[in-house]
Amino acid sequence: MSFPALIITWLNVLMNAAGRFLLCWAPFVPGWVSNTIISAVVGVILLIVFKYISNQTAIGKVKDNIKANMLALRLFKDSMIVTLQSQGKVFKGAGLLLFYSLKPMLIMIVPVCFILAQMGLWYQNRPLTPGEEAIVTVQLGEIEGDFPDVIINCNPVAIVETGPVRILSKKQICWKIRAIEKGNHIITFNTGDEQVEKQLVIGDGFMRVSSMRPGWNWSDILWHPAEKPLTADSAVESVSIDYPERGKKISGIDQWLIYFFTASMVFALLLKPILKVKI
């Protein structure tokens, strides 16, 4: 059993509860508004965390030295020796700033990954609309002997249009389904004595969408946190639904990740002087 996968699974329980509570208002405002508010809050929180876990005194001294050497470059631009020395000290200062920022960045990257995983449930994909088609894929694990029979049961919320299609080289079984009934549903897959469940979201609003139920792989569990991972001894490694991506570029949804990082950095830089943080 993978220890990182077990830890992330338990943390996802807490993050899912927090995500549902803290983002319960997101469906009621435009996507760009919710993304901007989340980016601003996260940017300010990370800025405050950076202030208290970084060496602010050392960063302040390095920045003062850089300013002094930049001034020397202007005042003594006719002196080749002073210019070269000042440039060298500026580059050294830049390296020291990177060094002092490395530790807090490594600490903050862990909670940021969990935050991004929760945001991805809202901003990466949209739900299926009634009448829309999608591909459902069951990824199998190690196969001994004949290819197993897997039966999908999605009635009455969806109809199987095509399948099962078996891709032997990839150990996958695929179906094309057509969405029928709005809501958060559960579809099931039977393989032998095992039954596997997968969420299916159908609607036309801003809804929380889980595109994959992961297997016992820590990276898949991290980036697809909404559903409980399949056990390590399951014949099924994962179940995924090919939901459409959100496509409103002007709202920061299509490129939500870039929008998030840009907006959070802007808010952090704007509030940096007020919170007296040295970066």
Side-chain angles (χ1 to χ4, degrees):
M1 180 177 291
S2 172
F3 184 70
L6 183 63
I7 294 298
I8 295 172
T9 299
W10 282 107
L11 288 175
N12 277 342
V13 174
L14 300 176
M15 292 301 298
N16 284 327
R20 288 191 183 95
F21 175 72
L22 296 175
L23 298 179
C24 62
W25 52 272
F28 305 105
V29 297
W32 70 270
V33 174
S34 60
N35 200 341
T36 303
I37 293 173
I38 295 169
S39 301
V41 172
V42 172
V44 173
I45 291 175
L46 292 179
L47 183 67
I48 295 172
V49 172
F50 183 90
K51 177 179 180 179
Y52 288 103
I53 65 176
S54 63
N55 191 336
Q56 290 286 288
T57 302
I59 292 175
K61 290 181 180 179
V62 172
K63 294 188 73 172
D64 290 340
N65 288 333
I66 291 176
K67 291 178 182 178
N69 284 285
M70 292 295 292
L71 181 60
L73 286 173
R74 293 183 178 181
L75 295 177
F76 303 100
K77 57 185 178 181
D78 295 330
S79 173
M80 181 64 69
I81 295 177
V82 174
T83 298
L84 292 175
Q85 288 178 341
S86 297
Q87 286 178 341
K89 291 178 180 178
V90 168
F91 285 120
K92 179 182 177 182
L96 286 173
L97 286 179
L98 180 62
F99 173 76
Y100 288 127
S101 300
L102 188 60
K103 175 184 173 182
M105 290 296 183
L106 290 176
I107 294 174
M108 291 189 296
I109 196 173
V110 176
V112 167
C113 286
F114 282 98
I115 292 171
L116 292 178
Q118 289 296 317
M119 292 182 66
L121 298 174
W122 291 95
Y123 297 103
Q124 186 65 35
N125 300 102
R126 64 168 176 82
L128 297 174
T129 56
E132 192 170 22
E133 296 179 339
I135 302 297
V136 179
T137 302
V138 168
Q139 177 67 56
L140 298 171
E142 294 297 326
I143 300 173
E144 297 181 2
D146 296 333
F147 213 73
D149 289 327
V150 180
I151 301 172
I152 184 173
N153 181 14
C154 56
N155 288 327
V157 300
I159 296 174
V160 176
E161 296 283 354
T162 307
V165 176
R166 295 173 174 84
I167 307 175
L168 301 180
S169 61
K170 296 182 178 180
K171 297 182 291 186
Q172 293 177 345
I173 303 177
C174 303
W175 297 263
K176 180 187 286 186
I177 65 170
R178 179 162 55 88
I180 300 296
E181 183 180 330
K182 291 183 179 181
N184 287 282
H185 308 290
I186 297 294
I187 59 176
T188 60
F189 303 84
N190 293 310
T191 171
D193 296 331
E194 184 181 9
Q195 185 178 82
V196 173
E197 296 182 343
K198 173 73 185 80
Q199 292 180 7
L200 174 64
V201 184
I202 302 173
D204 51 12
F206 195 62
M207 303 171 71
R208 193 170 181 261
V209 175
S210 172
S211 62
M212 176 190 285
R213 182 177 179 183
W216 204 246
N217 178 286
W218 71 266
S219 60
D220 286 342
I221 297 172
L222 174 62
W223 296 116
H224 301 277
E227 299 179 79
K228 183 180 178 180
L230 298 162
T231 58
D233 59 352
S234 173
V236 179
E237 284 192 352
S238 65
V239 183
S240 59
I241 298 176
D242 187 23
Y243 287 101
E245 291 188 354
R246 295 190 181 274
K248 296 181 180 179
K249 296 183 180 180
I250 61 172
S251 67
I253 299 301
D254 189 45
Q255 301 294 332
W256 70 270
L257 195 59
I258 297 174
Y259 185 90
F260 166 78
F261 280 114
T262 302
S264 59
M265 288 178 62
V266 168
F267 281 103
L269 292 174
L270 289 174
L271 292 174
K272 181 171 68 74
I274 298 175
L275 296 175
K276 298 180 181 179
V277 182
K278 299 181 179 66
I279 300 178

